[in-house]
Amino acid sequence: MNPALASLHPYPFERLRALLAGAQPPADLPHIGLSIGEPKHPPASLVLQAMATELQTLGTYPSTQGVPQFRQVVAQWLTRRFALAPGALDPETMVLPVNGTREALFAFVQTVIDGARAPVVVMPNPFYQIYEGAALLAGAEPYFMPSTAPDDYLPDLDAVPEAIWRRCQLLFLCSPGNPTGTVASLEYLQRALELARRYDFVIACDECYSEIYFDEAAAPPGLLQAAQAAGHSAFERCVVFHSLSKRSSVPGLRSGFVAGDAQLIKAFLLYRTYHGCAMSVHTQLVSIPAWRDEAHVIENRRLYRQKFATVVPILQSVLPVDMPRASFYLWPRVTDDERFTRELFERQHLTVLPGSYLGREIPGGNPGRGRVRISLVASVSECVTAAERIREYVRGMER
Ligand SMILES: Cc1ncc(COP(=O)(O)O)c(C=O)c1O
C-alpha cells in the first residue's frame, strides 16, 4: 500500500456522519440539507437541451487535450470575463478540459510537485479538502495560512515564514473562498505573484465560485487578470481552475477547465494523458453553450441574491453572521460547532457542517472551530424554512 494514504484525514462528510450517528430527529419535520455545496437550482436548460445532440460522439475516444471548439470558447470566455488582452490566452496551449475542478486540483499537484526537494504546498485554512489530500499524496508538506475575520478572511501572505516560501512549490488560493466567501482583490493576487516570482513557485487559483456573487457591478477578479496587470503576459507560474458546477448548476456534468501558463499546461497534459482522465467529447460539446451564455448565469445569481436577502436577516436576529462577498455559503459564529450541528439535526432535522471539520489545528487553534458552514443551495422557500428553524433552535438554547 502507498504509505501516504495513512496520512489522509477523514473527509468532513465522513466525520459529519459519525457525529450524527444515532441521533433521532423529529420525524414530522422534513429534512433540509445545508451541509453540502451542491447547487440545487435547476440545471441550465441549454445544457440539458444540448445533451440530446451529438450523441454519436460517444462512439469515439476523447483526446486529453479536448476538441478545439471547447478550448476556443473557454479562451473567449476568460478573455471577456477577466478583460484579458485579445489573443493573450492561446486556446491551443493554455487551456485544457477537466472533469470538474476537483479531479484537476488533485491531479495538478501530482504534476508539479518535485518530491525530492522537501516540498511545501501552502494553502488557506479552512480550505477545500482536496488541496491537503493532493499535497500529502504528492509527498509534500501542507502549510496552513489562517483565513480569519480580522483580515476579511484573506490569508496573510506576509505572515508566512521565509523558510516556508523557500520550500514552497505550490500556493493554493481559493477566490471566492469556500467556506468564507472572501474575495481576493487584484492587489492581493499581485502580491501572491510577486512572492511566486521571488521564490519560484506555482500558484493554483481555485476560481470555481467566480460566477456566484451578489453585486452585478463587482464581479470577483481572477488570477490571470492580476498576472496581466502585473506584466506577466504569458501568465507565468499561474493556473486557474473553473467549472460549470456552480455557474450553471450542473455539478453532475463534471465539466470544468484549467487555463494559464503554457509550460504548466503542457506538463499537465502529459500527466493527464497517462492518468487517463480525458473529458468525453459529448460533455465538451454540451458545455460550449453554457460558457457562451451569460443570461442563465445572471438568473442563477438573481436566485442566490434573493435567497441571501431573505435568509440572512432571519439568521442575523439570533447569530453573528455576515453577508459573504461571494459564493453560496454562510459562515456564522457559534459557541461549539459540533454541538450546534448535532443539536440542530436532533431538534430541527437540519444538517450543517461543523467549521472545525474544514480546518486544521495550527498554533492559535483551528480557525474553523466555533463556526458552521451553511450552504444556501436549496430553493428560497426551503432555505427560509431552514433559517426559521435555526432561529427557533438558537432561541431555545438561550432559554
Ligand atoms: C472550493 C472548491 N473547489 C472545487 C470544488 C469542486 O467542484 P467541481 O469539481 O464540481 O468543479 C468545490 C466543490 O464544492 C469547491 O467548493
Side-chain angles (χ1 to χ4, degrees):
M1 282 293 180
N2 178 346
L5 285 171
S7 62
L8 295 176
H9 292 255
Y11 211 68
F13 296 108
E14 211 180 303
R15 295 178 69 186
L16 180 62
R17 256 191 306 280
L19 178 73
L20 302 183
Q24 298 285 335
D28 55 330
L29 288 181
H31 176 249
I32 304 179
L34 305 164
S35 60
I36 304 181
E38 179 185 63
K40 296 282 184 215
H41 292 175
S45 59
L46 74 186
V47 172
L48 300 186
Q49 282 154 18
M51 292 298 275
T53 63
E54 317 286 358
L55 282 172
Q56 75 286 356
T57 58
L58 295 175
T60 59
Y61 274 119
S63 75
T64 309
Q65 196 188 8
V67 296
Q69 314 85 291
F70 176 87
R71 283 180 278 113
Q72 276 155 14
V73 165
V74 162
Q76 285 160 5
W77 180 78
L78 282 170
T79 303
R80 253 193 335 268
R81 168 66 174 81
F82 295 106
L84 304 180
L89 195 92
D90 176 10
E92 272 306 294
T93 58
M94 295 179 168
V95 178
L96 281 180
V98 298
N99 298 302
T101 48
R102 181 179 179 139
E103 66 89 356
L105 290 161
F106 180 84
F108 186 69
V109 182
Q110 315 313 311
T111 308
V112 297
I113 293 301
D114 173 357
R117 294 191 294 121
V120 168
V121 175
V122 177
M123 63 192 74
N125 183 18
F127 58 96
Y128 183 55
Q129 303 291 293
I130 302 303
Y131 310 154
E132 180 197 50
L136 292 170
L137 289 181
E141 180 189 329
Y143 179 87
F144 299 108
M145 305 178 289
S147 296
T148 49
D151 303 312
D152 204 13
Y153 302 101
L154 281 173
D156 183 357
L157 298 170
D158 293 307
V160 176
E162 183 164 16
I164 294 293
W165 284 136
R166 285 190 192 287
R167 287 174 54 207
C168 176
Q169 293 184 15
L170 181 68
L171 165 65
F172 269 118
L173 295 176
C174 183
S175 177
N178 169 6
T180 64
T182 188
V183 170
S185 64
L186 273 183
E187 295 69 35
Y188 182 92
L189 295 169
Q190 285 180 18
R191 176 69 187 133
L193 281 160
E194 263 170 45
L195 290 163
R197 182 161 26 194
R198 180 165 347 139
Y199 295 104
D200 192 21
F201 60 78
V202 171
I203 307 178
C205 196
D206 181 351
E207 299 181 355
C208 74
Y209 291 95
S210 71
E211 304 316 290
I212 311 298
Y213 53 91
F214 302 100
D215 180 354
E216 285 295 324
L223 182 65
L224 298 185
Q225 195 175 0
Q228 179 179 267
H232 298 226
S233 53
F235 312 113
E236 294 88 340
R237 301 187 183 82
C238 298
V239 173
V240 295
F241 296 74
H242 282 267
S243 127
L244 290 180
S245 300
K246 326 286 178 189
R247 167 183 163 87
S248 304
S249 304
V250 287
L253 184 64
R254 312 312 299 130
S255 178
F257 68 79
V258 298
D261 183 325
Q263 269 188 42
L264 294 169
I265 296 291
K266 187 175 173 195
F268 197 33
L269 173 59
L270 175 65
Y271 179 88
R272 296 179 70 74
T273 303
Y274 280 87
H275 189 54
C277 47
M279 186 199 284
S280 86
V281 177
H282 185 251
T283 304
Q284 293 178 65
L285 297 181
V286 161
S287 302
I288 286 175
W291 288 113
R292 280 214 181 109
D293 179 76
E294 292 303 321
H296 77 284
V297 193
I298 293 170
E299 171 58 14
N300 200 16
R301 278 196 291 274
R302 193 188 63 75
L303 291 178
Y304 283 116
R305 199 160 41 238
Q306 182 191 9
K307 191 167 10 189
F308 275 74
T310 321
V311 166
V312 169
I314 301 174
L315 292 179
Q316 277 175 337
S317 65
V318 288
L319 282 178
V321 57
D322 296 323
M323 182 69 195
R325 300 271 310 281
S327 85
F328 46 55
Y329 298 112
L330 292 174
W331 186 236
R333 267 181 228 284
V334 296
T335 314
D336 175 335
D337 53 327
E338 283 190 313
R339 179 178 158 207
F340 185 97
T341 302
R342 186 167 163 108
E343 287 186 355
L344 192 61
F345 183 73
E346 278 173 337
R347 297 182 194 174
Q348 297 290 343
H349 212 181
L350 294 182
T351 317
V352 298
L353 189 65
S356 55
Y357 293 5
L358 295 169
R360 289 287 172 266
E361 277 313 323
I362 50 174
N366 178 336
R369 179 155 299 123
R371 300 263 180 176
V372 289
R373 192 186 73 176
I374 301 178
S375 299
L376 289 190
V377 286
S379 66
V380 177
S381 66
E382 251 191 325
C383 286
V384 168
T385 304
E388 287 168 352
R389 288 199 216 161
I390 293 174
R391 185 174 58 191
E392 193 177 318
Y393 161 65
V394 177
R395 284 186 178 154
M397 276 171 94
E398 287 160 0
R399 278 197 286 273

